[in-house]
Structure formats: C-alpha cells, structure tokens
Amino acid sequence: MPIVRVDKWSAGLSATGNRLIQGDNLRVLEALSTQYVDSVRCAYLDPPYNNGETYQHYFDNMGHAEWLHSVAERLRKIRTLLTADGSVWISIDDSEVHYLKVAADEIFGRDNFIGTIVWERRTSRENRRVLSRNHEYLLAYAKDLSKWERFRNPLPITPEVANRYRNPDADPRGPWQSVSANVQAGHATPQQFYALKAPNGRIHEVPKGRCWVYTKQKMMDEIAKGNVWFGVAGTSVPRLKRFLSERKTGLTPNTLWRADEVGTTSDAKKQLLAIFQEETLFDTPKPEALIHRILQISTNPGDLVLDPYLGSGTTTAVAHKMNRAYIGIEIGDHIKTHSSSRMRSVIAGESGGVSRLLSWSGGGGFDFYRLTVTD
Ligand SMILES: C[S@@+](CC[C@H](N)C(=O)[O-])C[C@H]1O[C@@H](n2cnc3c(N)ncnc32)[C@H](O)[C@@H]1O
C-alpha cells in the first residue's frame, strides 16, 4: 500500500482552488482522479520531447518506447478528467510527432482529432544543423469532437481584419465592408432573376449563371435602408454592406501560428529573465501568447485548465491572468524556484507576456502541494 504524504502552503488569496503540485504527474493524476473526473476543460501538455538533450532542469533522453508509453499512460488518465466538451493540446517536435499522433489516436479516437497546429518557434536560422528547425507542432484532440465544436470559441477579429471595414459614405452605423449581391444560381427561385434598377436609374442585369441574393421586393427594401452600395458615384455593380458592429462571429483559427502572433521560445526566455533577473533560466519555456491562444479557443473564464508538465509555469501564469482555474504539476524542484516564484509575481501584477493585452494588474492566489508517494 503506497504511503502518500502531502505538504501544503498558500500564496495570495486562499481557497481559490488553483493548485501547483510537486510530484510525478502519473501519481498526481491518479490522486486527482476521483475529485476531478469530468472537470478539466482544457489540458495542455508540454512533455520532454525525447530529443536526447540534457537541459539545466531536466533530462530528455528516455528512449523511444519508454517515452511513448509514459506519455500515452498520462494521456489516458487525463482523458477521464476532461469534461465532455474538453480538449487536450500537446506540444511536440518533429522527432516524435508521428508516433505520438498514432498513440493519441488510439486513446481519443481518430474521430476526435481536432488537428495539427504548426507553431513557428524561432525566426532566426539554426546553422549548426542540416535543417534549421524553425517550427514545432501542437496536436489537438477533443474528448468528443461534436460537443467540442459547439463549445469552442472563435478568435477575436484582428486589427488587420477590422481594417478591411471602411466607411466611404460616412454611414452612422460605422465601418462596413461589401460582399457580392449575387450568388450561384443553382438553387435559385424565379423571383431572384430580374433587372435591378439602381437609385440613379441605371439598370443592372444579374451575371450569367448567377441570381440576385434577394427577391426584387427585398432588394428594394434593402436599398431603401441604405444596405446596398453602388460605389461612390452610384454607378457600380451593387454590393451588400456588412457592418463591423453587426459581425457576430470571430475568426476561425488557422493551423499556422506565426511567431509574430504567438511569440517564440526566445520571447518566452526574455520574459523569464525579466522576472528572475538571473542566469539560471529555464531552457524550454513556451511564450505566454501561445498558451493564451489555446485557452482563448478552448476555455471560458472560470474553466479548469490542467498542465501536468508545468516547467516554468507558463500555463498557470496565463490561466491566472485569464481568470481560469488551474492545476499545474511538476516533478522538479524548479516548481519552487521557477513556477511558484513566477506565480507569486503574477499575483503581484507582473507586467510581461500577455499582461498588457489582458490589462492584468495582479490579485488572486494558489495553493502549493508537495506529494510524496512511498511504495
Ligand atoms: C518542456 S518542459 C515544460 C515547459 C513549460 N511548458 C514552460 O512553458 O515552461 C517539461 C517539464 O516537464 C517536467 N516533467 C518531466 N517528467 C515529469 C513527470 N513525470 N511529472 C511531472 N513533471 C515532469 C520536466 O521537469 C520539465 O520541467
């Protein structure tokens, strides 16, 4: 019978439910399994990539079969902790991505595969290797894809997309963009074919193979409401006005996540340097903007986020700033020197990473646990 010892202390506000847990994640996931079954909305995993490197804070040379078995074992446990509309996002590089995909397919089912994201992790060239590996991957799975699809969030529209909306006629309803007023005639009714008379008297025929999007009466109503645009001179082919203020949907995430959108490893290191102001930097942190995007898509405020390979604490820092609840698990002592120190500075209002974007000014708290299991 294993003996479980738990040491605990708190930082900031108590009873937030936020947890940093030191221990082997397999043991910790087992210990959490009763309390947290069907509770985690998003799990982010950034396991050692099994690339043979020795980092300052952990080793990454397990051997392929053992490594794959170890990650798969943890994924199986995590799946039971997910809500029905929950998802898992796994960071991985070229050397193991294909094996991990097959293993994860077996656990989640190929039908629940959300997709592969390519993240541009560096913008400089790595000249010491045959190929400069500038990207790595995120494999994303849902516990149940149909439920996740209904739950997930689009991304907010970017300034670039917003800039496509203009207001050449000083419409009091604000900026708009125009879309075609005719569509393919495949399913048209006879009422959608007519000669359209513009306010200046000009007649517009619908192009061959197309029909007007509205019937004649509806089109006249839309023209009267100022919703149809005939160009500055009033002589152009009619187009429909779509207002930015009425736009309900955000953006569908791309599968290519560029460094200028979600940051690089080097951005993440610079942020850590600003927090710790010393040289014992963590070697492989993820940028906060990368985790922010995952949580934007897959969670809402108050949701529970799990990271079983916490490292320097990026996931918990971002979850905290985004008002999500979290559990971060880390085996190494750097959970004290790095992850929890970082979380204390987040509570104190740390200004790096996504802080400015989220107007983060501090607050909240977390509980720290050390789980020791002796067989
Ligand atoms: C690639 S790093 C994670 C980096 C993290 N995403 C960040 O932004 O800082 C992987 C981490 O997993 C930890 N780790 C490896 N095996 C573990 C285990 N069995 N249980 C808990 N943590 C583990 C390592 O100590 C290391 O800190």
Side-chain angles (χ1 to χ4, degrees):
M1 182 76 172
I3 302 162
V4 180
R5 219 189 95 201
V6 181
D7 301 313
K8 183 185 167 197
W9 51 263
S10 299
L13 282 182
S14 57
T16 55
N18 297 330
R19 292 174 166 196
L20 260 57
I21 308 176
Q22 182 172 17
D24 176 3
N25 50 19
L26 189 65
R27 296 290 199 171
V28 177
L29 290 168
E30 275 159 9
L32 297 177
S33 61
T34 349
Q35 194 185 345
Y36 287 99
V37 72
D38 295 336
S39 322
V40 173
R41 187 82 74 179
C42 174
Y44 170 69
L45 278 72
D46 185 8
Y49 291 173
N50 198 32
N51 54 17
E53 302 272 347
T54 300
Y55 298 111
Q56 205 167 353
H57 296 96
Y58 64 97
F59 301 111
D60 198 357
N61 50 6
M62 239 185 197
H64 168 71
E66 194 192 344
W67 176 86
L68 195 60
H69 174 77
S70 136
V71 177
E73 207 177 3
R74 282 146 179 91
L75 280 176
R76 231 171 258 117
K77 300 246 176 280
I78 289 166
R79 191 181 172 281
T80 66
L81 301 186
L82 290 179
T83 56
D85 47 15
S87 58
V88 167
W89 300 67
I90 316 162
S91 276
I92 195 68
D93 74 4
D94 220 16
S95 41
E96 293 285 9
V97 62
H98 307 94
Y99 300 95
L100 183 60
K101 165 76 168 61
V102 175
D105 275 351
E106 274 171 26
I107 296 162
F108 290 94
R110 289 179 72 173
D111 291 349
N112 293 316
F113 178 53
I114 297 171
T116 307
I117 307 292
V118 173
W119 166 49
E120 187 185 17
R121 70 177 174 140
R122 65 182 294 161
T123 49
S124 57
R125 197 176 295 271
E126 165 61 288
N127 285 317
R128 286 169 302 171
R129 305 201 180 220
V130 190
L131 289 174
S132 174
R133 288 188 177 182
N134 289 52
H135 72 277
E136 55 185 62
Y137 304 95
L138 284 161
L139 295 179
Y141 285 86
K143 187 168 187 178
D144 178 331
L145 190 61
S146 59
K147 292 200 173 79
W148 182 81
E149 273 175 1
R150 270 176 267 134
F151 168 79
R152 55 105 201 194
N153 299 314
L155 295 174
I157 64 165
T158 58
E160 187 201 347
V161 173
N163 282 340
R164 288 186 212 142
Y165 290 77
R166 301 187 179 258
N167 199 349
D169 58 347
D171 193 311
R173 292 167 291 184
W176 52 271
Q177 65 177 1
S178 71
V179 297
S180 176
N182 59 64
V183 291
Q184 280 189 3
H187 299 286
T189 61
Q191 289 76 28
Q192 286 173 271
F193 298 92
Y194 51 88
L196 194 163
K197 191 169 176 190
N200 70 353
R202 186 173 182 147
I203 302 292
H204 297 273
E205 296 294 345
V206 71
K208 207 166 167 225
R210 316 266 304 170
C211 66
W212 297 115
V213 67
Y214 300 136
T215 61
K216 190 169 185 181
Q217 186 53 53
K218 168 88 172 152
M219 187 67 87
M220 291 304 128
D221 291 348
E222 291 298 305
I223 292 171
K225 285 184 200 160
N227 289 340
V228 184
W229 175 243
F230 292 90
V232 179
T235 54
S236 305
V237 171
R239 290 177 66 82
L240 308 179
K241 288 164 78 175
R242 293 281 182 256
F243 293 91
L244 180 58
S245 58
E246 288 167 8
R247 188 177 166 133
K248 289 196 181 67
T249 55
L251 300 176
T252 301
N254 286 330
T255 50
L256 180 59
W257 292 9
R258 292 185 185 281
D260 59 356
E261 297 165 13
V262 295
T264 59
T265 307
S266 140
D267 295 333
K269 284 188 180 171
K270 277 186 205 141
Q271 186 191 354
L272 290 190
L273 195 60
I275 299 173
F276 298 115
Q277 288 157 8
E278 46 148 307
E279 291 305 312
T280 58
L281 264 187
F282 190 73
D283 286 317
T284 57
K286 292 293 183 283
E288 288 198 1
L290 178 77
I291 306 299
H292 177 253
R293 178 168 289 183
I294 295 171
L295 298 189
Q296 260 185 328
I297 296 169
S298 61
T299 65
N300 288 325
D303 285 347
L304 181 59
V305 174
L306 168 70
D307 183 340
Y309 297 93
L310 188 59
S312 67
T314 313
T315 306
T316 50
V318 177
H320 193 103
K321 292 175 190 177
M322 291 177 78
N323 197 19
R324 272 61 166 168
Y326 52 84
I327 299 172
I329 309 168
E330 171 56 56
I331 198 166
D333 272 343
H334 49 284
I335 191 168
K336 286 181 232 139
T337 52
H338 290 67
S339 342
S340 59
S341 315
R342 177 176 186 172
M343 293 311 296
R344 284 176 190 277
S345 71
V346 168
I347 290 169
E350 181 260 334
S351 60
V354 292
S355 288
R356 183 132 34 111
L357 177 75
L358 299 171
S359 307
W360 174 251
S361 58
F366 67 91
D367 296 328
F368 182 98
Y369 298 79
R370 191 174 62 190
L371 187 80
T372 321
V373 184
T374 335
D375 286 315

